[in-house]
Amino acid sequence: EYESYKWITRVAEVIGLPASQLRAALARQEIPFPDDLPQTTPEEAFKSTQEDFADIDFSEYAPSIPPYLNDPEAMEYLEEIHKRPEMKTLFDASRKATKKDIEKTIAIIETLKKQSGNEE
């Protein structure tokens, strides 16, 4: 519950309302209406809001989906990395390695797999 008050304080700062007023409204579970707001019907308010934002292109704010999320093989690797902490360590180390280092590591792993009979 305390977490929601931290968030509502941030919201109040962004929209320019006193945080105490918004927190009190949250505690009462009601919408705060400042006294100086003109009274409108919900339909009028909705129409006005739609008109205010009609010219804004929101597509630049939409999150983009990284291409690897559409690759089933990449998703399998990500799932494996997520499940196994040692894979996270290996992945982190490989990000800092050169291509030559990675190729050497693959060769070593392939050799170990052949020696242990775990060839796929």
Side-chain angles (χ1 to χ4, degrees):
E1 193 172 328
Y2 174 72
E3 186 70 25
S4 57
Y5 284 100
K6 287 181 8 184
W7 278 106
I8 206 69
T9 300
R10 290 183 184 167
V11 169
E13 291 169 357
V14 169
I15 64 175
L17 277 177
S20 59
Q21 182 181 2
L22 209 51
R23 283 192 303 267
L26 175 65
R28 292 189 307 270
Q29 295 295 305
E30 60 185 41
I31 300 170
F33 286 108
D35 297 332
D36 59 345
L37 281 181
Q39 298 300 316
T40 59
T41 66
E43 292 80 12
E44 292 170 334
F46 181 76
K47 183 179 180 196
S48 172
T49 302
Q50 295 300 312
E51 291 167 357
D52 290 345
F53 293 105
D55 297 330
I56 298 175
D57 178 16
F58 288 101
S59 63
E60 67 182 271
Y61 301 105
S64 61
I65 297 174
Y68 61 83
L69 292 180
N70 292 323
D71 180 351
E73 186 178 14
M75 290 307 296
E76 285 180 34
Y77 288 131
L78 289 173
E79 184 68 24
E80 188 71 20
I81 290 168
H82 177 71
K83 288 179 183 176
R84 297 176 50 200
E86 68 274 13
M87 293 298 289
K88 290 179 184 178
T89 304
L90 182 61
F91 180 74
D92 186 51
S94 70
R95 288 190 314 174
K96 299 170 186 163
T98 66
K99 182 179 178 185
K100 188 175 179 181
D101 291 337
I102 292 172
E103 289 169 351
K104 286 179 187 176
T105 304
I106 291 170
I108 292 169
I109 291 170
E110 292 298 324
T111 302
L112 291 172
K113 283 170 59 176
K114 287 177 186 175
Q115 288 175 356
S116 67
N118 289 333
E119 213 173 332
E120 291 182 15

